[in-house]
């Protein structure tokens, strides 16, 4: 027994539902399909042609057609993405000091940083760089350099105060240019400062280039940790190893009395790391020196190399290299 459910005359497609929950679609007086959708049991496609294919097989074939093939960046050995589920947790500051820490720990390595945060590029200011990239004979952009680090950012291509009001396709095109139309030379590590969240840019990068691992940055605050977990789960879904978590702004030490206060909570990232089964790569304190040096374009790792804050970033860099070696075994 069938109960008429709905009809769309413009599309000339009708739908009815039976008492047992099945739904049938047809056009005019003639069936469009021969297919039925069974509620609560997925759906199956009945074909009068070459037999039946399961939904899972069809979805897998469709996804395989739609996904781009990963292509390595010329001259780059390993790509490390620095991500966070939420903005304002110090991701870009961590990315810049991590890149500098990799170089400080091993001067023989060549390191670059790609600022993929198209809407809010901050690497140029932190690295004290401005100006337009030069073009090579092959019409590729040449990265700007400072402190021994090769840098590329959308901030080099637009005015400092100009908002970037782009739709998704334009952002994807910009990311493709920053990845493929840059002469990176030969790099051991390319650190990618990802935008916050789990959107188009993250998917575009993870689907287009092979990534050695992801570092998730979060404060110990519960709200930030919720989004950090989403970020970690996204990388797992696209088969990118999560190297670990960085607990940023972990503790504030009063410069007058040295009393320590956990402004954003204590050990929240460690608890999340245990839940996810990953490591905590290190703790970065909430310190005035980190903020001032970043704002002045003199990151703490190079401007105050003997400070506890710089040492914290170098320890994180060492932990990242150790995790990369484990993943490559």
């Amino acid at each position: 027994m069938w109960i008429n459910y709905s009809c769309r005359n413009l599309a000339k497609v009708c739908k009815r539902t039976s008492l047992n929950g099945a739904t049938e679609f047809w056009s005019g007086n003639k069936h469009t399909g021969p297919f039925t959708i069974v509620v609560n049991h997925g759906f199956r496609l009945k074909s009068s042609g070459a037999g039946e294919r399961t939904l899972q097989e069809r979805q897998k074939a469709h996804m395989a057609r739609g996904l781009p093939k990963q292509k390595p960046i010329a001259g780059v050995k390993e790509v490390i993405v620095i991500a966070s589920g939420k903005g304002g947790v110090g991701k870009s500051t961590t990315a810049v000091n991590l890149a500098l820490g990799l170089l400080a720990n091993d001067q023989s390595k060549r390191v670059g940083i790609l600022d993929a945060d198209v809407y809010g590029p901050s690497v140029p200011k932190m690295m004290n760089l401005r100006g337009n990239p030069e073009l090579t004979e092959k019409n590729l952009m040449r990265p700007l350099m400072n402190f021994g680090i090769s840098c590329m950012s959308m901030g080099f291509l637009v005015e400092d105060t100009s908002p970037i009001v782009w739709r998704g396709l334009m952002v994807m095109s910009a990311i493709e240019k920053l990845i493929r139309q840059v002469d990176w030379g030969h790099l051991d590590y390319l650190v990618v400062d990802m935008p916050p969240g789990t959107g188009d840019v993250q998917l575009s990068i993870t689907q287009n280039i092979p990534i050695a691992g992801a570092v998730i940055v979060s404060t110990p605050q519960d709200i930030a940790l919720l989004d950090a977990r989403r970020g970690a789960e996204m990388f797992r879904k696209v088969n990118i190893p999560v190297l670990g978590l960085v607990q940023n702004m972990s503790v504030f030490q009063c410069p007058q009395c040295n009393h320590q206060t956990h402004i954003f909570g204590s050990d929240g990232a460690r608890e999340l790391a245990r839940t996810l089964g990953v490591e905590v790569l290190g703790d970065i304190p909430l310190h005035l020196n980190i903020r001032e040096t970043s704002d002045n374009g003199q990151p703490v790792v190079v401007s105050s190399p003997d400070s506890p804050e710089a040492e914290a970033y170098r320890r994180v860099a060492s932990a990242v290299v150790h995790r990369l070696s484990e993943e490559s075994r």
Side-chain angles (χ1 to χ4, degrees):
M1 179 178 179
W2 293 92
I3 299 174
N4 287 332
Y5 184 75
S6 66
C7 180
R8 291 179 293 166
N9 292 327
L10 289 177
K12 296 184 178 179
V13 175
C14 299
K15 179 173 71 172
R16 65 182 182 181
T17 304
S18 70
L19 292 178
N20 65 6
T23 303
E24 187 177 78
F25 295 83
W26 75 95
S27 175
N29 294 322
K30 185 177 181 181
H31 284 279
T32 58
F35 62 90
T36 60
I37 299 176
V38 180
V39 178
N40 296 328
H41 295 285
F43 75 86
R44 61 180 185 274
L45 178 65
K46 294 182 179 178
S47 174
S48 56
E52 296 185 0
R53 298 175 64 186
T54 66
L55 172 62
Q56 290 80 6
E57 290 172 341
R58 290 174 58 81
Q59 287 178 332
K60 187 179 294 185
H62 178 72
M63 290 297 291
R65 288 196 301 269
L67 290 177
K69 291 185 178 180
Q70 287 187 337
K71 181 182 177 183
I73 301 175
V76 177
K77 290 183 180 179
E78 292 186 295
V79 177
I80 307 165
V81 295
I82 314 300
S84 66
K86 180 179 289 295
V89 298
K91 169 185 56 61
S92 295
T93 304
T94 301
V96 165
N97 282 288
L98 172 61
L100 292 165
L102 290 169
L103 183 61
N105 288 342
D106 189 344
Q107 294 287 334
S108 68
K109 300 298 184 182
R110 283 171 287 193
V111 183
I113 183 166
L114 169 61
D115 186 357
D117 195 347
V118 174
Y119 293 113
S122 52
V123 168
K125 181 174 179 60
M126 291 185 184
M127 292 294 289
N128 196 26
L129 289 168
R130 58 176 52 86
N132 300 118
E134 297 178 353
L135 295 178
T136 67
E137 294 179 354
K138 295 181 179 180
N139 209 34
L140 298 176
M141 291 183 288
R142 185 174 286 118
L144 278 63
M145 289 196 67
N146 199 9
F147 311 122
I149 304 289
S150 301
C151 303
M152 180 52 63
S153 169
M154 182 56 63
F156 298 145
L157 308 177
V158 297
E159 295 294 329
D160 290 345
T161 58
S162 297
I164 299 176
V165 188
W166 290 350
R167 293 187 182 274
L169 289 176
M170 295 179 69
V171 174
M172 297 305 100
S173 177
I175 290 295
E176 180 70 15
K177 286 180 171 59
L178 290 175
I179 293 175
R180 302 296 180 193
Q181 296 185 19
V182 175
D183 182 9
W184 289 104
H186 296 283
L187 295 179
D188 295 288
Y189 305 112
L190 177 61
V191 176
V192 180
D193 179 20
M194 301 278 267
T198 55
D200 289 344
V201 174
Q202 288 85 348
L203 285 175
S204 180
I205 291 175
T206 56
Q207 290 174 355
N208 278 281
I209 59 175
I211 294 173
V215 174
I216 308 297
V217 180
S218 179
T219 63
Q221 186 180 9
D222 288 346
I223 297 300
L225 292 168
L226 284 173
D227 292 326
R229 180 167 188 168
R230 294 188 183 99
E233 294 293 353
M234 183 207 73
F235 287 114
R236 285 181 166 175
K237 283 181 180 292
V238 293
N239 298 318
I240 291 174
V242 177
L243 302 178
L245 274 67
V246 173
Q247 184 166 249
N248 199 29
M249 309 182 200
S250 59
V251 64
F252 172 74
Q253 181 171 299
C254 175
Q256 302 299 326
C257 66
N258 293 327
H259 175 72
Q260 291 188 344
T261 303
H262 297 276
I263 295 176
F264 296 105
S266 62
D267 291 334
R270 294 186 180 279
E271 295 173 7
L272 176 59
R274 282 194 293 270
T275 301
L276 295 174
V278 299
E279 295 183 14
V280 174
L281 300 172
D283 291 76
I284 307 298
L286 177 62
H287 200 283
L288 183 63
N289 194 25
I290 296 176
R291 195 276 299 169
E292 288 182 338
T293 56
S294 297
D295 285 351
N296 294 332
Q298 301 289 323
V300 68
V301 171
V302 292
S303 60
S304 303
D306 297 326
S307 65
E309 302 81 55
E311 176 60 27
Y313 283 116
R314 289 196 297 270
R315 283 197 300 267
V316 170
S318 296
V320 167
V321 172
H322 177 68
R323 287 288 293 115
L324 287 172
S325 65
E326 290 182 338
E327 291 293 336
S328 63
R329 292 172 187 168

